[in-house]
C-alpha cells in the first residue's frame, strides 16, 4: 500500500486540518499505528507532530469520548 501523502497531488499535513487528523485517531483518542494507516515512516512522524500540536491548542481531544 502506498502512502497517502507521498505524491504530487497529496494533501499537506497541517495541525489546523482537524478533519484530516481525525481519520488517523481511533475512538479512544490514540494515534493509529503505521500498519493500519498505511503511511510511510516520514509522514507517520509528521502526523504525530501535527496531532500533538492540535492537541496542545485544544483542537483535538487528548482522550476519546466514550460511554
Amino acid at each position: 500500500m502506498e502512502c497517502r501523502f507521498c505524491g504530487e497531488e497529496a494533501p499537506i499535513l497541517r495541525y489546523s486540518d482537524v478533519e484530516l487528523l481525525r481519520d488517523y485517531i481511533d475512538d479512544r483518542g490514540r494515534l493509529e499505528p503505521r500498519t493500519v494507516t498505511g503511511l510511510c515512516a516520514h509522514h507517520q512522524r509528521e502526523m504525530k507532530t501535527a496531532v500533538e500540536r492540535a492537541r496542545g491548542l485544544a483542537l483535538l481531544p487528548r482522550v476519546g469520548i466514550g460511554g
Side-chain angles (χ1 to χ4, degrees):
M1 183 164 42
E2 187 175 315
C3 175
R4 177 179 175 188
F5 298 102
C6 290
E8 308 241 346
E9 299 295 322
I12 298 173
L13 278 168
R14 293 194 175 120
Y15 70 90
S16 58
D17 192 359
V18 178
E19 294 302 317
L20 177 69
L21 296 178
R22 284 180 201 242
D23 292 340
Y24 296 96
I25 297 176
D26 66 4
D27 58 342
R28 293 183 173 185
R30 297 181 297 182
L31 278 173
E32 295 284 350
R34 259 182 75 196
T35 55
V36 175
T37 63
L39 298 179
C40 64
H42 174 75
H43 287 113
Q44 182 72 19
R45 286 190 300 271
E46 283 189 357
M47 177 66 62
K48 178 181 178 256
T49 303
V51 169
E52 286 175 351
R53 288 179 181 168
R55 286 177 175 166
L57 294 171
L59 299 175
L60 284 175
R62 293 194 183 273
V63 295
I65 303 170

